[in-house]
């Protein structure tokens, strides 16, 4: 292990004070980067969620729909916050455990394994930001995909999004529908009887009324008490 005086070269080359100074000097750029991250997360959510309903969602969306997709779902916003938290924790752990970073740099300083100290940000500030981008991307793909799968399963099981629909273009008004989402021009519904996804123009919708979720009741437990004969 190198002496303590040399550990700084094995710490991330990103200083939090410099980041704060950058944010205060360029608030517009900061807001843009945060919003761009939310938009990317929302786009990942749209692709993964509608894949469970066999719908090429990008065909029906405008650019503005993609830009607000991450804001419309609170869980996606929460996951963006979680992703940034993971990046910060990675920086903090790497900074504190500089001896480990030194060991990584010596142990994996050749071939494809150089990616390990690279992701830890011990080589340069640029390597840290690329590592942060990789962390965000993997986080979004894994956790947003899990959220999309869970939400899709709840809808298919009639535990989320049930609505009563009054629309001009509905040929089977007696069917049960779940609301998937809306865009500027369309509404996306799941028909529980036909197991198909329906896309309707918003101007064809008269009204949508939310329905309470279906809760399956457990069968009554038979009584074990003896009955008194008449």
């Amino acid at each position: 292990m190198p002496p303590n005086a040399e550990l700084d070269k094995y710490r991330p080359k990103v200083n939090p004070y410099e980041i704060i100074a950058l944010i205060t000097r360029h608030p517009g750029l900061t807001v843009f980067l945060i919003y761009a991250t939310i938009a990317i997360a929302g786009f990942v959510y749209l692709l993964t969620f509608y894949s469970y309903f066999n719908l090429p969602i990008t065909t029906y969306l405008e650019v503005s729909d993609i830009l607000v997709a991450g804001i419309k779902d609170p869980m996606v916003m929460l996951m963006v916050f979680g992703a940034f938290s993971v990046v910060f924790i990675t920086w903090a752990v790497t900074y504190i455990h500089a001896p480990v970073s030194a060991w990584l740099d010596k142990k994996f300083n050749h071939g494809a394994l150089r990616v390990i100290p690279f992701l830890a940000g011990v080589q340069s500030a640029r390597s840290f930001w690329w590592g942060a981008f990789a962390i965000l991307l993997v986080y979004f793909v894994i956790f947003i995909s899990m959220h999309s799968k869970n939400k899709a399963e709840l809808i298919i099981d009639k535990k989320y999004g049930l609505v009563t629909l009054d629309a001009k273009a509905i040929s089977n008004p007696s069917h049960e529908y779940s609301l998937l989402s809306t865009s500027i021009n369309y509404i996306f519904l799941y028909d529980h009887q036909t197991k198909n996804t329906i896309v309707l123009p918003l101007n064809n919708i008269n009204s949508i009324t939310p329905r309470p979720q279906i809760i399956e009741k457990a069968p009554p437990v038979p009584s074990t008490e003896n009955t008194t004969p008449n």
Side-chain angles (χ1 to χ4, degrees), residues 10-12 89-99 101 117 119-122 128:
Y10 294 104
R11 290 191 168 107
I89 291 172
T90 301
W91 175 88
V93 170
T94 307
Y95 188 88
I96 294 171
H97 294 281
S101 296
L119 290 178
V122 300
F128 177 83

Side-chain angles (χ1 to χ4, degrees), residues 62-82:
E62 304 291 338
V63 174
S64 55
D65 294 317
I66 297 175
L67 293 178
V68 300
I71 299 176
K72 292 174 66 174
D73 192 312
M75 282 300 297
V76 175
M77 291 286 291
L78 183 62
M79 289 177 185
V80 171
F81 174 77

Side-chain angles (χ1 to χ4, degrees), residues 21-181:
L22 178 65
I23 291 173
T24 55
R25 287 199 305 267
H26 305 284
L29 177 62
T30 303
V31 172
F32 169 77
L33 292 176
I34 294 175
Y35 191 81
T37 305
I38 296 173
I40 292 172
F43 187 63
V44 173
Y45 164 73
L46 290 175
L47 294 179
T48 54
F49 176 69
Y50 282 99
S51 66
Y52 292 98
F53 300 97
N54 298 317
L55 181 68
I57 186 62
T58 54
T59 305
Y60 303 96
L61 298 180
E62 304 291 338
V63 174
S64 55
D65 294 317
I66 297 175
L67 293 178
V68 300
I71 299 176
K72 292 174 66 174
D73 192 312
M75 282 300 297
V76 175
M77 291 286 291
L78 183 62
M79 289 177 185
V80 171
F81 174 77
F84 280 118
S85 300
V86 170
V87 172
F88 173 76
I89 291 172
T90 301
W91 175 88
V93 170
T94 307
Y95 188 88
I96 294 171
H97 294 281
V100 177
S101 296
W103 179 81
L104 287 174
D105 190 46
K106 290 183 178 181
K107 190 71 175 178
F108 303 109
N109 61 355
H110 60 279
L113 295 178
R114 286 188 64 85
V115 70
I116 296 177
F118 180 85
L119 290 178
V122 300
Q123 295 177 335
S124 66
R126 181 177 297 179
S127 71
F128 177 83
W129 291 119
W130 279 110
F133 176 77
I135 291 172
L136 290 174
L137 186 61
V138 172
Y139 190 99
F140 288 161
V141 170
I142 293 177
F143 289 97
I144 292 180
S145 296
M146 292 172 58
H147 168 59
S148 299
K149 180 181 179 181
N150 180 63
K151 187 173 180 179
E153 289 176 347
L154 289 175
I155 289 175
I156 294 172
D157 293 338
K158 301 182 183 180
K159 296 179 181 178
Y160 183 85
L162 282 173
V163 295
T164 300
L165 186 66
D166 181 11
K168 303 173 184 177
I170 290 293
S171 57
N172 298 301
S174 60
H175 284 193
E176 290 184 305
Y177 299 95
S178 283
L179 176 65
L180 301 181
S181 184

Side-chain angles (χ1 to χ4, degrees), residues 192-210:
H192 289 281
Q193 275 63 43
T194 63
K195 310 297 182 184
N196 292 325
T197 304
I198 300 174
V199 181
L200 296 176
L202 282 177
N203 55 16
N204 283 347
I205 306 298
N206 295 325
S207 66
I208 299 176
T209 306

